[in-house]
Amino acid sequence: MASAAQGSLPRYVVQRLLLMIPMIWVVVTVVFLLLRVAPGDPVSASVGGRLSEEELDRRREALGIDRPLWQQYLEYLGDVARFRFGESLSDNRPITSIIIDNGGATLTLTLGAFLVALVIGIPLGLVAGRRRDSAADVGIRLFGITSYAVPVFVTGLVLVLLAGGTGWPTYDIASPITKFQVEPVTHILLVDALIAGDMGAVGDVLQHHVLPCLTLGLLLCGVFIRLVRVNLLMTMKGDYVEAARARGIPERYVVRRHAFRNALVPLITVLGLQVALTLAGAILTERTFNWPGLGTQLVDYLNARDYPAVQGLVTFFAVIVVVTSLIVDIVNALVDPRVRY
Amino acid sequence: MSVPTTASSGPVVRAEDVRVWYGTERGPVRAVDGVTFDLRPGEILGLVGESGCGKSTLGRGLLGLLPDGAKMDGALEFRGENLLTLSKRELAERRGVDLGMIFQEPLTRLNPLMRISEHFRETLRTHEPGLSKAEMDRRALDVLRRMGIPPTRYRSYPHEFSGGMRQRLMIALALVLRPAFVVADEPTTALDVLVEAQIIRILHDLRREFETSLLLITHNLGIVAEACDRVAVMYAGEIVEIGDARQVFSDPQHPYTRELLRSTISLSTTGLHYIPGAPPDLVEPPPACKFHPRCPDAMQVCATRWPAPVQLPAGSRAQCWAAEERNRLIRLTEDERRPLERRELSVADEA
Ligand SMILES: Nc1ncnc2c1ncn2[C@@H]1O[C@H](COP(=O)(O)OP(=O)(O)OP(=O)(O)O)[C@@H](O)[C@H]1O
Ligand code: SF4
Ligand SMILES: [Mg+2]
């Protein structure tokens, strides 16, 4: 039994990898169908009026939207399988280069937000759980509920107002001069600035990250506070916690080694589940702070009714969610020995 | 490590008039209500009684493991030292080394994220900080072997063991520090009968190997008859009878003990005997003898005056007017001796 449980980790990973295929297939299909049931002709919607009638027809043909749905669907599946996402209609950019050019900004925003949420959420959740029903607990819970319930753009606006007058950057990912000077290598501005060794630029980019990451981080931190608090309350009442006390383990170690650790395990799973919420929040945050990320692009293309671009970006978002859920499952299996069955 | 302060023949644990109550919205739940007993080195005391009569509360109270909101009072000595005046930290230091506990649910008592080896090392490191890792592992493997757990499983996680094995792990974990006194709270209730017999044998052999005194809480009177030296019968927070196990079982002095014995399934009886009514509410227990609403022998005096515990000639101690009268320790008046009427009984029952 012991050896089976240990040997099954690679098998478990392969299993989860295989499971990804149907998950992505479902997502891709839903995206495809949703965009097809929307009324109207995407070509005339996005570039109509700007091009001649023949040119529009040529575009429709190139897109394949004059052909039967099932043919389009199969072709789309084939494209996705080969990681070919096509081009946007309105400005002829390959979807992959949209993802590469703008993905970096979204990546650093969301990672920063997770960091903010963990750094604020875990300690607050632990304090609230340890001192249940104290003034601190009540305050922290109120804070958690508020930060979760207040819409992203309101939080953003409040932060911008608070920063007003201090000269702290309140929009975009960097000042124009930094953007101009840093050579794009990875297209992740922060990393590029580090590669360039330009500490002034790094500082500038980091400063620009503070308010957006805080805004998105506060949204997530409410979820974490609640989860950590409830988990801690549960594990503190747990049988093995009492058993540890019965062995005379000092209370601080009982709390740290037995209660905290076990209370944080479900956080990994929830972290994975929050990726979808984070991406949704990121879109709103990016709009609020004029952030040059994928969310801003998505909204722009949606407004332009540029269906190929929207389809490509949404598919990409979905794949990200599926992939993170895979990573989360694997990390979970590494941390919690019971998962590997 | 503590050194016995009294002669080895003195009791390891001495409880006198111990009371435990839980604060609730309805008022205090008097779960343990004036319990007195002592436990000699290597002795096994069985603790029996219906569900909710306060057995676990007493067991936990002895180790200072009561939840927040519970209060404890009386005198509780471990090798002559009063445990109730110790600070929380001092009491925690006694747990594990002097006072051990084995719980009912072996499946959930081990931290799922920690290997068995880590459980042992944590416990040993806490109480004997000077030990080397090799020495800790040697000590742990030694007890595990005695419990029949192969050393190859030392680095396994709890979920990789069966229920019976996990209970043996818990016992090993409790014994690795050789505590002088262990409370085992229904250690076999969650296990099947064959495993139960095995665990009971292990517990029974403890005194030979470790000189451990054991308070064995159980619902199984068969186990008590087989494994215990003495037995304490608890009802509504009180020990109503305590004495030599064989003696008490062959000649129960308290009507509750008698009824409890009758209600166990035996091959010679057809049908199941049970004690009518239910154990009382411990917020407002019946006055005087708490058993009187359900006692077949109840008399007028039982509902008005509390029967103090008395040592009976047979050797056991019981708190019952009828037992005192039968043993000619008191003379009740005609009035006091009059049987409690059924009507009064049912009214009391409903109250
Ligand atoms: N935390 C608590 N708060 C309030 N009342 C409690 C608490 N724990 C136990 N009680 C009450 O105290 C009484 C004694 O409970 P206890 O668990 O000691 O009984 P027990 O004899 O061990 O029962 P069982 O045989 O079912 O294990 C019961 O009436 C129970 O409802
Ligand atoms: S004191 Fe009376 S009611 Fe109580 S057990 Fe004895 S006979 Fe029964
Ligand atoms: Mg119990």
Side-chain angles (χ1 to χ4, degrees), chain B residues 51-52 54-57 60 104 185-186 217 219:
Chain B
S51 195
K55 306 182 294 296
S56 299
T57 304
R60 262 153 223 239
Q104 176 177 344
D185 192 354
E186 304 192 38
I217 301 173
H219 283 280

Side-chain angles (χ1 to χ4, degrees), chain B residues 233-235 238-242 254 256-257 317-320:
Chain B
V233 181
M234 226 175 149
Y235 185 78
E238 298 176 324
I239 290 186
V240 293
E241 180 164 7
I242 180 170
H254 196 283
Y256 180 65
T257 313
R317 190 189 76 205
Q319 47 184 62
C320 168

Side-chain angles (χ1 to χ4, degrees), chain A residues 315-338:
Chain A
T315 307
F316 178 70
F317 277 147
V319 169
I320 291 292
V321 171
V322 171
V323 169
T324 36
S325 90
L326 167 81
I327 294 171
V328 161
D329 281 350
I330 292 172
V331 171
N332 219 356
L334 287 173
V335 172
D336 190 339
R338 286 166 302 179

Side-chain angles (χ1 to χ4, degrees), chain B residues 7-220:
Chain B
S8 59
S9 57
V12 179
V13 171
R14 209 175 63 78
E16 202 178 304
D17 201 27
V18 167
R19 290 163 199 279
V20 181
W21 60 99
Y22 298 104
T24 65
E25 281 150 28
R26 295 174 49 236
V29 176
R30 282 185 270 163
V32 174
D33 200 4
V35 157
T36 299
F37 71 94
D38 53 23
L39 202 56
R40 289 178 281 274
E43 189 179 40
I44 303 182
L45 174 64
L47 183 61
V48 299
E50 277 165 296
S51 195
C53 66
K55 306 182 294 296
S56 299
T57 304
L58 175 59
R60 262 153 223 239
L62 297 179
L63 268 81
L65 280 179
L66 294 167
D68 292 340
K71 293 258 177 355
M72 192 163 171
D73 187 21
L76 178 61
E77 284 177 9
F78 175 79
R79 286 177 165 158
E81 177 187 38
N82 190 350
L83 292 179
L84 294 188
T85 54
L86 293 181
S87 73
K88 266 190 157 173
R89 230 195 68 224
E90 287 170 320
L91 195 56
E93 280 166 12
R94 302 292 189 289
R95 284 200 292 267
V97 243
D98 293 334
L99 316 160
M101 178 111 188
I102 299 164
F103 294 94
Q104 176 177 344
E105 325 78 359
L107 294 183
T108 53
R109 291 292 179 180
L110 292 159
N111 185 336
L113 299 186
M114 279 165 63
R115 295 174 192 277
I116 299 309
S117 52
E118 294 173 280
H119 281 89
F120 277 98
R121 285 184 198 147
E122 177 190 49
T123 308
L124 283 162
R125 200 181 306 120
T126 300
H127 296 286
E128 297 178 38
L131 284 185
S132 71
K133 208 165 189 170
E135 182 64 15
M136 288 194 280
D137 289 348
R138 200 193 56 71
R139 288 267 295 274
L141 288 169
D142 182 54
V143 235
L144 284 174
R145 189 177 43 75
R146 286 169 197 241
M147 295 303 139
I149 308 276
T152 49
R153 306 298 302 278
Y154 185 49
R155 309 246 323 132
S156 303
Y157 284 100
H159 73 271
E160 295 166 14
F161 293 89
S162 69
M165 281 178 116
R166 274 192 243 187
Q167 192 58 294
R168 279 182 282 150
L169 286 172
M170 293 305 302
I171 296 174
L173 207 45
L175 295 182
V176 70
L177 295 162
R178 298 172 172 262
F181 171 60
V182 169
V183 174
D185 192 354
E186 304 192 38
T188 59
T189 305
L191 307 173
D192 70 59
V193 265
L194 285 179
V195 179
E196 173 168 55
Q198 185 188 36
I199 299 286
I200 294 301
R201 157 143 305 118
I202 288 172
L203 291 175
H204 188 244
D205 290 345
L206 286 186
R207 75 174 111 191
R208 217 177 41 227
E209 300 209 29
F210 299 92
E211 288 183 323
T212 306
S213 308
L214 189 66
L215 180 70
L216 179 58
I217 301 173
T218 178
H219 283 280
N220 188 332

